[in-house]
């Protein structure tokens, strides 16, 4: 796989994650169309989506996402709530995008017209003149333009005035800028210091003053607040125009106030003794880089680097959005190089210059390498040293393309993989005194995306390591050694190995967030088609489960949720007559319980019909004696193949297929599903999975010549019963009495080998195990010990095994089989 | 059989598998008859090792082995073909084959050599007269005056009946 392919792969994955999230958000928006917060969140996600779609070189997709973003942007800006039609269109656009992504991922060629239909629909919601602004720099928002105040000038030192003078003499444009930030600016994830850094990157900061008068007493001081309410800067730049600066400060406008004033020649001459002679060209390379140390509260708990990087990343993203415009501009200039305006050439230069600067901050050396030579070319272009030939234009356009692609890649760091970096990384020292030297490019990203295959390979190796380690520490020679030091060292290695294993295991854990947000869409769609009002409640979607579960739970969960809406929840009339609220509720819950993850799907519908199931089971010959008096047992018959009681075939849930597939899917994940139901109150499906599919603590037991592992979690106790405690029930097998309770007995020798006969009962050991909420006793020959074992799946050849859930490699390198306690219990009770 | 010979054969198989010309088969002995499998399916040849039996499986499924950390099922080919069971000895080998991405071991009497059998020398399997179900036979390869039964190992190891696990309902 090439780097680009990998990048694409990541982008596809991420795209789908975003789409899933969007589904959830749109459902939320539909419920509460007035919620601007949701709209903003949706916009942000679409924006991110647009950003990452660049990596997939399919232009219509990017264009389409862009239009979607426009629509959302428009919606954000107006007071009216989005109409159901608009939301429908958005839903549709998510579907189409997902569809197209899926096809592209599988390498299908698609016509550029795939989006035309939806695009048309979306466009009709946009104001007519909307398209006119596309690709053109957004007009700078209103910023103040107040002339220099005399007080400020009076505060300046002579040396600062000198610098201003030199810059003015060098023909640079001078500005007085004042910035006021809101007190909660830190909470907006904005670092006020960035405002100065940006200036520094684009010119020279001649002087800075700030008003720290509102810094409160130490006991009232809140490190998360920003108390410097007025920053005044005198800034000189060879090329930035006032509107350029205002544009840079766009981010301030949302969180404060900005005043940019170009110091006029008159003012310069009045306050700085600048002679108005444009031909006096003494160039000054040095500029004062001075920042008032009161800039940032001393004990600010946020790391400057981090905020700076965030800012730069955002800035980069904005720049990427400008890439289209730059590309057009290059093409335009190429056509008529002579007509190129100075401003346009400056725009080109600044684009690459900014990319260069931001990439430096973020430590993106690749990007720096791309942008640096282009910046130089543009510098020569605007100074007239170079003419824009076709060759150069191609070079520039290619540059823009790779920059766009690269930024797309950089931004493709999804939330769910923002791993433990933040808590585990060494704390960045917060400098007491902030000056320019502290602002250095910092290497590294907060998270990285790792190929699942690599992770699996790592897991496998760690598994091997654990086994190899066990081989060493359990070696006979070890126990005969009288060397305390070696023993200590080996046990140290033991501990480390276990830690490594735990860490690696945790790498595979992901939150159920995306899976659950997909479900809200399912509920919406199904309830609409079934003409029911249904609301989905989600709790515990932050619960982390093994990636393999995330990967495979989607289908069975969708099925269950659909079933709940379609069959579980009654129609509006029935609900009304049952005295229930009009709106049906489906609850989706996830939580950890012991060593398992539990996912529950509950509905408040009519519940399962005992009679219907009973009759159906009887008809299909699935009825067993136990079911007669045990409803739990009876209800679980609905997971049998071919069982369905739905009276009519519905469009969505079909008939007769499904729940058995759900059960199979879940069992493949070493999980199990149960159903319980109360008539008139609803139905609950409970899915249980092992927390990690990778390892367990187990008791190693001997049965005949083979060894089996019984998961420690399911063991209650082990004992040797007196012969009088064992009773043989005719035709039913044996039961054993423990603490006045009777439990069925399963002799593993008999279950697993055919020669249960001849086993000396006196020596065998009874182990009381619990599975599926019921207990039984398994009988083994001998207990060999406890071991932490890495679970390996038996190959598909053995997919139908009862009472065996997997295998592992034991200390001596041989394979041991892992007992499926639930399966054994099932055998015991059937 | 020496470990060295097995390793040498494994090497020969790997080399032969790279040969794009094709027509390379690893020949082995089963009940005194010569069989062959396409080297492209063969991963390696190992001596007989401890096999952990798996309950509820057909008799020819001997169980599973640990192949450097991978747990793979092992089939006794004699039993699979309904031949007489034999004691495992020094000569008994496990040929590790790759069937559609799945590794499996087949227990055979002994391995012989890597044969080069051009397509022209391969005849269709006779409809009868073999001890082995003809579905499993790719063709009859002629090597000198000997005939080698070339197995379609994929079919041998993936047919429906293999996947079936015996029902333990009666236990």
């Amino acid at each position: 796989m090439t780097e680009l392919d990998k990048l694409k792969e990541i982008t596809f994955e991420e795209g789908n994650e975003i789409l899933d999230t969007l589904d959830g958000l749109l459902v939320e928006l539909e419920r509460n169309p007035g919620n601007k917060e949701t709209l903003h969140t949706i916009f942000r996600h679409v924006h991110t989506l647009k950003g990452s779609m660049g990596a997939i070189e399919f232009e219509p997709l990017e264009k389409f996402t862009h239009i979607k973003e426009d629509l959302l942007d428009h919606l954000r800006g107006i007071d009216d709530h989005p109409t159901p039609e608009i939301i429908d269109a958005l839903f549709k656009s998510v579907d189409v995008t997902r569809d197209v992504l899926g096809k592209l991922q599988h390498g299908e060629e698609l016509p550029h017209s795939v989006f035309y239909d939806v695009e048309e629909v979306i466009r009709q919601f946009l104001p007519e003149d909307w398209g006119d602004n596309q690709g053109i720099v957004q007009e700078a928002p209103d910023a103040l333009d107040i002339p220099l105040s005399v007080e400020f000038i009076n505060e300046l030192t002579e040396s600062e005035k000198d610098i201003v003078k030199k810059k003015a003499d060098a023909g640079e444009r001078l500005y007085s800028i004042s910035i006021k930030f809101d007190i909660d600016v830190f909470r907006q994830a904005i670092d006020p210091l960035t405002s100065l850094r940006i200036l520094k990157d684009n010119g020279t900061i001649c002087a800075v003053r700030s008003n720290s008068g509102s810094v409160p007493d130490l006991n009232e001081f809140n490190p998360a607040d920003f108390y410097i309410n007025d920053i005044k800067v005198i800034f000189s730049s060879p090329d930035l125009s006032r509107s350029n600066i205002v544009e840079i400060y766009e981010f301030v406008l949302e969180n404060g106030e900005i005043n940019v004033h170009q110091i006029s020649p008159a003012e310069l001459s009045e306050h700085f003794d600048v002679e108005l002679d444009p031909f006096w060209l003494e160039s000054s390379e040095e500029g004062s880089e001075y920042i008032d140390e009161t800039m940032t509260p001393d004990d600010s708990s946020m790391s400057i680097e981090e905020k700076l990087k965030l800012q730069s990343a955002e800035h980069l993203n904005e720049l990427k959005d400008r890439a289209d415009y730059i590309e057009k501009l290059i093409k335009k200039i190429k056509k008529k190089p002579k007509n190129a305006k100075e401003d346009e050439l400056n725009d080109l230069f600044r684009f690459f210059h900014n990319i260069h600067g931001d990439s430096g901050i973020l430590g993106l050396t690749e990007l720096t390498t791309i942008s640096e030579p282009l910046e130089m070319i543009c510098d020569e272009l605007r100074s007239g040293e170079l003419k824009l030939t076709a060759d150069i234009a191609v070079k520039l356009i290619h540059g823009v393309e790779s920059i766009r692609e690269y930024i797309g890649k950089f931004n493709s760091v999804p939330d769910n993989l923002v791993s433990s970096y933040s808590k585990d990384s060494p704390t960045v020292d917060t400098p007491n005194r902030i000056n320019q030297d502290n602002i250095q490019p910092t290497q590294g990203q907060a998270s990285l995306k790792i190929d699942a295959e690599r992770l699996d390979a790592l897991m496998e190796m760690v598994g091997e390591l654990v086994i190899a380690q066990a081989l060493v520490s359990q070696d006979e020679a070890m126990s005969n050694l009288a060397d305390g030091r070696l023993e200590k060292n080996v046990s140290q290695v033991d501990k480390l190995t276990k830690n490594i294993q735990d860490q690696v295991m945790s790498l595979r854990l992901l939150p159920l967030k995306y899976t659950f947000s997909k479900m809200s869409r399912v509920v919406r769609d199904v309830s609409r088609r079934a003409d029911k009002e249904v609301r989905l409640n989600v709790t515990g979607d932050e619960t982390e489960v093994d990636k393999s579960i995330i990967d495979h739970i989607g289908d069975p969960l969708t099925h269950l949720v659909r079933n709940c809406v379609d069959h579980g929840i009654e129609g509006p009339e029935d609900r009304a007559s049952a005295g229930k609220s009009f709106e049906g509720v489906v609850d989706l819950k996830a939580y950890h319980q012991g060593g398992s993850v539990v996912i529950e799907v509950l509905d408040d519908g009519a519940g399962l019909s005992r009679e219907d199931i009973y009759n159906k089971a009887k008809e299909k010959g699935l009825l067993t004696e136990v079911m007669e008096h045990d409803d739990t047992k009876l209800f679980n018959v609905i997971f049998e193949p071919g069982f369905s009681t739905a009276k009519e075939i519905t469009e969505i849930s079909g008939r007769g297929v499904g729940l058995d597939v759900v059960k199979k899917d879940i069992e493949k994940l070493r999980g199990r599903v149960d159903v319980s139901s109360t008539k008139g109150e609803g139905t609950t499906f409970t899915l249980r999975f092992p927390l990690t599919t990778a390892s367990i603590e187990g008791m190693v037991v001997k049965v005949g010549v083979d060894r089996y592992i019984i998961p420690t979690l399911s063991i209650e106790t082990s004992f040797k019963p007196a012969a009088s405690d064992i009773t043989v029930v005719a035709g039913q097998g044996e039961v054993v009495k423990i603490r006045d309770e009777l439990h069925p007995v399963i002799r593993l020798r008999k279950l697993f080998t055919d020669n249960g006969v001849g086993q000396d009962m006196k020596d065998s050991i009874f182990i009381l195990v619990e599975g599926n909420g019921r207990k039984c006793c398994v009988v083994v020959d001998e207990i060999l010990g406890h071991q932490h074992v890495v679970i390996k799946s038996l190959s598909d050849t053995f997919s139908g095994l009862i009472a065996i859930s997997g295998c592992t490699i034991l200390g001596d390198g041989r394979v041991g089989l892992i007992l499926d306690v639930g399966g054994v219990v099932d055998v015991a009770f059937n | 059989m020496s470990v060295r010979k097995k390793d040498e054969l494994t090497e020969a198989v790997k080399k032969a598998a790279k040969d794009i010309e094709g027509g390379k088969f690893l020949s082995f002995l089963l009940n005194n008859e010569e069989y062959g499998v396409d080297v492209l399916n063969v991963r390696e040849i190992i001596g007989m090792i401890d096999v952990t039996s798996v309950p509820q499986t057909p008799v020819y499924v001997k169980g599973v082995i640990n192949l450097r950390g991978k747990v793979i099922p092992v089939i006794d080919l004699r039993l699979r073909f309904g031949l007489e069971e034999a004691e495992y000895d020094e000569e008994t080998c496990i040929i590790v084959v790759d069937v559609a991405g799945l590794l499996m071991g087949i227990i055979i009497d002994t391995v012989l050599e890597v044969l080069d059998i051009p397509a022209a020398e391969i005849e269709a399997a006779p409809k009868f007269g073999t001890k082995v179900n003809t579905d499993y036979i790719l063709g009859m390869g002629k090597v000198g005056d000997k005939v080698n039964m070339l197995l379609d190992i994929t079919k041998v190891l993936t047919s429906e009946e293999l996947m079936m696990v015996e029902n333990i309902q009666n236990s």
Side-chain angles (χ1 to χ4, degrees):
Chain A
M1 212 192 248
T2 67
E3 282 298 316
L4 189 64
D5 285 345
K6 271 189 208 158
L7 171 60
K8 279 189 186 172
E9 204 49 47
I10 291 173
T11 315
F12 279 124
E13 256 174 52
E14 185 188 300
N16 282 321
E17 273 167 15
I18 296 176
L19 290 172
D20 290 346
T21 315
L22 280 175
D23 266 341
L25 287 166
L26 284 172
V27 172
E28 224 174 292
L29 184 69
E30 191 174 44
R31 184 157 299 129
N32 188 359
N35 191 337
K36 286 280 168 194
E37 200 46 53
T38 316
L39 203 55
H40 283 309
T41 317
I42 295 175
F43 175 78
R44 272 202 302 278
H45 277 96
V46 172
H47 185 76
T48 318
L49 184 68
K50 188 187 78 176
S52 59
M53 286 305 102
I56 302 164
E57 290 149 330
F58 189 62
E59 202 199 324
L61 187 61
E62 231 181 313
K63 210 173 118 205
F64 176 61
T65 323
H66 197 110
I67 292 170
K68 205 155 70 179
E69 191 188 350
D70 281 349
L71 173 60
L72 287 161
D73 200 19
H74 166 64
L75 291 174
R76 290 200 304 174
I78 57 175
D79 288 334
D80 295 342
H81 296 174
T83 61
E85 289 78 24
I86 291 183
I87 294 176
D88 260 352
L90 288 170
F91 268 123
K92 205 166 168 214
S93 76
V94 168
D95 288 342
V96 174
T97 313
R98 184 181 287 127
D99 190 44
V100 166
L101 266 185
K103 283 178 176 160
L104 288 173
Q105 192 170 10
H106 292 100
E108 277 181 48
E109 291 281 328
L110 291 174
H112 279 210
S113 57
V114 279
F115 290 118
Y116 284 0
D117 291 349
V118 202
E119 218 174 287
E120 249 348 277
V121 178
I122 289 193
R123 263 183 212 286
Q124 79 186 29
F125 298 117
L126 280 168
E128 275 179 23
D129 57 340
W130 188 271
D132 301 346
N133 296 330
Q134 266 191 31
I136 293 168
V137 201
Q138 301 246 321
E139 263 181 56
D142 290 341
L144 302 170
D145 188 350
I146 303 168
L148 272 176
S149 73
V150 182
E151 294 85 40
F152 180 33
I153 291 157
N154 289 342
E155 280 179 29
L156 297 177
T157 62
E158 282 310 313
S159 64
E160 283 166 345
K161 283 186 178 170
D162 257 7
I163 295 161
V164 175
K165 185 171 182 297
K166 271 187 192 159
K167 289 289 172 189
D169 290 344
E172 294 197 4
R173 304 181 210 185
L174 280 144
Y175 300 94
S176 94
I177 299 169
S178 53
I179 311 153
K180 284 181 190 159
F181 284 105
D182 295 343
I183 194 161
D184 65 345
V185 63
F186 287 137
R187 267 157 278 167
Q188 309 299 321
I190 286 172
D191 174 15
L193 194 54
T194 313
S195 57
L196 296 182
R197 188 191 55 74
I198 295 172
L199 289 184
K200 195 199 155 235
D201 278 354
N202 290 287
T204 308
I205 296 172
C206 305
V208 187
R209 284 296 178 275
S210 68
N211 178 0
S212 50
S214 60
V215 177
D217 284 346
L218 199 58
N219 53 358
E220 286 165 31
F221 186 87
N222 180 355
D225 279 344
F226 186 69
Y227 296 110
I228 318 293
N229 56 10
D230 195 1
I231 302 164
K232 294 196 188 77
V233 185
I234 295 197
F235 171 68
S236 85
S237 162
D239 46 43
L240 292 191
S241 69
R242 178 176 179 273
S243 62
N244 291 150
I245 295 175
V246 172
E247 198 184 309
I248 290 172
Y249 279 124
E250 210 175 319
F251 75 95
V252 178
L253 280 169
E254 283 176 24
N255 302 287
E257 203 180 285
I258 178 88
N259 169 30
V260 181
H261 169 69
Q262 181 163 6
I263 305 174
S264 68
E267 283 169 320
L268 282 173
S269 112
E270 185 187 338
H271 302 297
F272 301 98
D273 305 328
V274 177
E275 290 177 36
L276 299 173
D277 182 359
F279 296 106
W280 187 21
L281 294 167
E282 186 202 301
S283 75
S284 158
E285 295 294 310
E286 287 165 17
S288 157
E289 286 163 0
Y290 167 85
I291 290 187
D292 198 314
E293 68 174 281
T294 54
M295 267 301 300
T296 309
D298 279 353
D299 51 351
S300 156
S301 56
M302 293 158 130
S303 127
I304 299 293
E305 272 91 344
E306 258 167 40
K307 282 182 282 176
L308 195 61
K309 278 162 80 174
L310 186 68
Q311 198 68 56
S312 297
E314 270 170 21
H315 190 216
L316 260 190
N317 221 7
E318 280 160 29
L319 285 173
K320 184 173 158 259
D321 295 345
R322 285 200 63 172
D324 289 353
Y325 160 69
I326 293 294
E327 209 172 306
K328 269 182 211 152
L329 196 61
I330 296 170
K331 284 174 186 158
K332 185 184 146 202
I333 299 175
K334 193 183 85 183
K335 270 183 209 152
K336 287 177 187 161
K338 277 178 197 155
N339 290 3
K341 288 189 204 108
E342 196 188 319
D343 274 352
E344 289 172 337
L345 290 172
N346 279 340
D347 271 353
L348 282 187
F349 168 75
R350 224 180 28 255
F351 175 75
F352 292 112
H353 177 79
N354 288 344
I355 299 256
H356 184 189
D358 283 317
S359 64
I361 301 247
L362 291 164
L364 305 173
T365 39
E366 236 176 287
L367 197 54
T368 314
T369 333
I370 301 172
S371 55
E372 194 170 20
L374 299 173
E375 182 194 343
M376 279 159 68
I377 291 177
C378 291
D379 198 8
E380 282 169 22
L381 282 176
R382 65 183 179 149
S383 63
E385 283 169 57
L386 206 66
K387 284 277 166 296
L388 190 79
T389 61
D391 276 357
I392 290 176
V394 166
K395 209 170 180 176
L396 289 175
I397 288 174
H398 277 201
V400 175
E401 272 165 11
S402 25
I403 285 168
R404 188 191 292 140
E405 194 183 302
Y406 193 92
I407 302 178
K409 183 162 95 181
F410 174 72
N411 280 330
S412 59
V413 183
D415 300 337
N416 66 328
L417 276 184
V418 175
S419 64
S420 49
Y421 177 88
S422 49
K423 52 173 192 258
D424 291 341
S425 63
T427 341
V428 184
D429 287 337
T430 312
N432 288 335
R433 189 193 155 88
I434 288 108
N435 57 45
Q436 295 293 79
D437 292 338
N438 287 89
I439 304 162
Q440 286 165 346
T442 320
Q443 293 285 342
Q445 282 163 253
S447 72
L448 20 115
K449 220 162 181 175
I450 297 171
D451 210 31
E453 266 175 42
R454 281 200 198 176
L455 207 55
D456 289 345
L458 182 65
M459 294 274 292
E460 196 136 293
M461 268 188 274
V462 170
E464 289 305 294
L465 183 67
V466 172
I467 290 161
Q469 167 61 25
L471 279 177
V472 174
S473 60
Q474 288 167 20
D475 197 295
E476 261 178 60
M478 277 295 302
S479 49
N480 296 336
L481 272 177
D483 189 339
R485 201 180 53 184
L486 179 63
E487 209 181 306
K488 210 179 89 195
N489 289 345
V490 169
S491 92
Q492 178 70 8
V493 177
D494 244 342
K495 238 179 267 164
L496 283 174
T497 316
K498 194 147 189 296
N499 281 352
I500 293 177
Q501 193 185 20
D502 288 349
Q503 280 293 322
V504 172
M505 299 292 180
S506 73
L507 290 181
R508 287 182 57 93
L509 298 182
L510 292 175
L512 279 162
K513 198 167 80 187
Y514 293 101
T515 317
F516 276 14
S517 73
K518 227 189 285 184
M519 293 310 134
S520 49
R521 175 72 192 273
V522 172
V523 168
R524 171 196 181 264
D525 286 0
V526 179
S527 60
R528 267 201 174 191
R529 262 177 281 178
D531 241 347
K532 295 174 184 171
E533 287 285 331
V534 182
R535 184 173 45 133
L536 180 74
N537 273 346
V538 170
T539 41
D541 63 352
E542 72 287 341
T543 308
E544 288 189 327
V545 301
D546 194 272
K547 185 178 180 323
S548 61
I549 293 177
I550 296 267
D551 286 348
H552 296 105
I553 190 132
D555 285 350
L557 204 56
T558 307
H559 200 109
L560 289 178
V561 170
R562 265 185 193 163
N563 256 324
C564 280
V565 179
D566 211 21
H567 302 312
I569 306 237
E570 321 88 322
E573 297 89 28
D574 290 346
R575 286 189 73 87
S577 58
K580 291 181 186 178
S581 71
F582 184 65
E583 190 180 50
V585 179
V586 173
D587 274 300
L588 203 50
K589 291 182 187 166
Y591 52 91
H592 289 292
Q593 191 182 64
S596 340
V597 178
V598 182
I599 299 176
E600 286 179 356
V601 186
L602 303 91
D603 67 55
D604 67 342
L608 297 174
S609 157
R610 193 180 183 280
E611 297 90 83
D612 282 358
I613 293 175
Y614 184 86
N615 293 336
K616 190 86 178 188
K618 206 169 186 178
E619 181 193 320
K620 297 259 173 187
L622 296 166
L623 202 63
T624 61
E625 209 181 308
V626 206
M627 293 180 193
E628 298 272 0
H629 42 79
D630 185 347
D631 277 1
T632 319
K633 202 78 201 166
L634 178 64
F635 287 151
N636 277 293
V637 79
I638 62 173
F639 293 111
E640 294 299 320
F643 190 95
S644 172
T645 58
K647 292 202 176 73
E648 52 203 282
I649 302 166
T650 67
E651 185 189 350
I652 304 141
S653 299
R655 185 188 182 94
V657 281
L659 284 176
D660 57 319
V661 181
V662 168
K663 189 176 184 181
K664 254 188 209 137
D665 282 350
I666 288 165
E667 281 172 352
K668 266 187 210 156
L669 297 167
R670 258 193 279 282
R672 61 179 51 253
V673 55
D674 289 293
V675 62
S676 64
S677 178
T678 313
K679 186 133 187 90
E681 286 175 21
T683 310
T684 306
F685 288 91
T686 311
L687 287 65
R688 271 169 219 279
F689 300 95
L691 177 58
T692 123
T693 51
S695 81
I696 53 162
E697 289 290 338
M699 182 188 268
V700 187
V701 299
K702 199 170 163 199
V703 178
V705 290
D706 289 312
R707 284 165 300 175
Y708 290 85
I709 291 99
I710 305 177
T712 313
L713 273 178
S714 31
I715 297 179
E716 298 254 308
T717 174
S718 62
F719 60 100
K720 281 188 183 181
S724 59
D725 286 338
I726 303 166
T727 319
V728 180
V729 183
Q732 294 277 325
E734 293 166 287
V735 289
V736 65
K737 195 168 88 181
I738 311 159
R739 294 183 214 109
D740 293 331
E741 279 177 53
L742 286 176
H743 296 288
V745 173
I746 293 284
R747 291 183 182 270
L748 290 187
R749 244 196 208 228
K750 202 170 159 197
L751 183 67
F752 290 147
T753 61
D754 295 323
N755 52 355
V757 227
Q759 183 182 357
D760 191 353
M761 216 170 59
K762 268 192 291 183
D763 287 338
S764 49
I765 294 172
F766 283 58
I767 301 173
L768 184 65
V769 293
E770 187 187 345
N772 292 357
R774 284 188 294 195
K775 293 174 190 171
C776 80
C777 252
V778 293
V779 184
V780 303
D781 295 357
E782 207 182 327
I783 292 175
L784 298 172
H786 279 271
Q787 204 178 334
H788 187 83
V789 298
V790 176
I791 302 174
K792 303 207 169 233
S793 71
L794 275 171
S795 92
D796 286 347
T797 319
F798 305 114
S799 58
L801 286 181
I802 300 169
I804 303 288
S805 63
C807 63
T808 189
I809 292 164
L810 294 169
D812 61 357
R814 282 191 57 176
V815 181
L817 300 177
I818 299 170
L819 198 71
D820 170 16
V821 174
V824 172
V825 172
D826 281 350
V827 172
F829 282 89
N830 273 334
Chain B
M1 184 183 293
S2 69
V3 172
R4 194 155 158 222
K5 190 182 172 199
K6 282 167 209 146
D7 288 349
E8 272 170 19
L9 269 172
T10 303
E11 278 311 304
V13 164
K14 275 186 191 152
K15 215 172 129 196
K18 277 186 197 142
D19 190 346
I20 34 167
E21 293 278 308
K24 307 270 192 192
F25 294 87
L26 174 68
S27 69
F28 59 87
L29 222 47
L30 199 66
N31 206 20
N32 291 322
E33 282 186 77
E34 271 190 41
Y35 291 83
V37 283
D38 194 327
V39 292
L40 290 174
N41 289 117
V42 179
R43 278 296 184 81
E44 67 181 291
I45 302 149
I46 54 175
M48 197 58 205
I49 54 172
D50 275 340
V51 181
T52 301
S53 60
V54 178
Q56 312 150 33
T57 49
V59 62
Y60 51 79
V61 177
K62 275 303 180 194
V64 286
I65 57 165
N66 166 22
L67 183 74
R68 289 188 302 279
K70 280 201 171 67
V71 176
I72 65 168
V74 181
I75 309 292
D76 186 318
L77 208 56
R78 271 177 172 266
L79 300 180
R80 175 82 182 107
F81 289 159
L83 303 171
E84 187 191 335
E85 191 168 2
E87 285 280 311
Y88 299 141
D89 57 24
E90 285 294 292
E91 291 292 311
T92 310
C93 285
I94 300 176
I95 302 178
V96 180
V97 292
D98 182 333
V99 182
L102 201 71
L103 290 185
M104 276 192 174
I106 50 173
I107 302 173
I108 45 91
D109 291 356
T110 192
V111 280
L112 298 171
E113 59 190 319
V114 175
L115 293 175
D116 192 348
I117 311 177
E121 297 296 314
I122 300 175
E123 283 176 17
K127 284 275 174 272
F128 52 88
T130 60
K131 288 175 186 160
V132 176
N133 183 342
T134 49
D135 280 353
Y136 302 151
I137 300 177
L138 207 63
M140 311 296 282
K142 283 189 287 182
V143 185
D145 53 353
K146 282 191 294 185
V147 174
N148 190 304
M149 241 180 293
L150 305 178
L151 295 176
D152 186 338
I153 200 69
T154 312
K155 275 194 185 143
V156 175
L157 297 181
T158 53
S159 61
E160 288 285 309
E161 47 181 314
L162 187 67
M163 294 300 178
M164 277 198 314
V165 188
E166 281 173 0
N167 205 316
I168 60 151
Q169 223 47 342
N170 50 3
S171 68

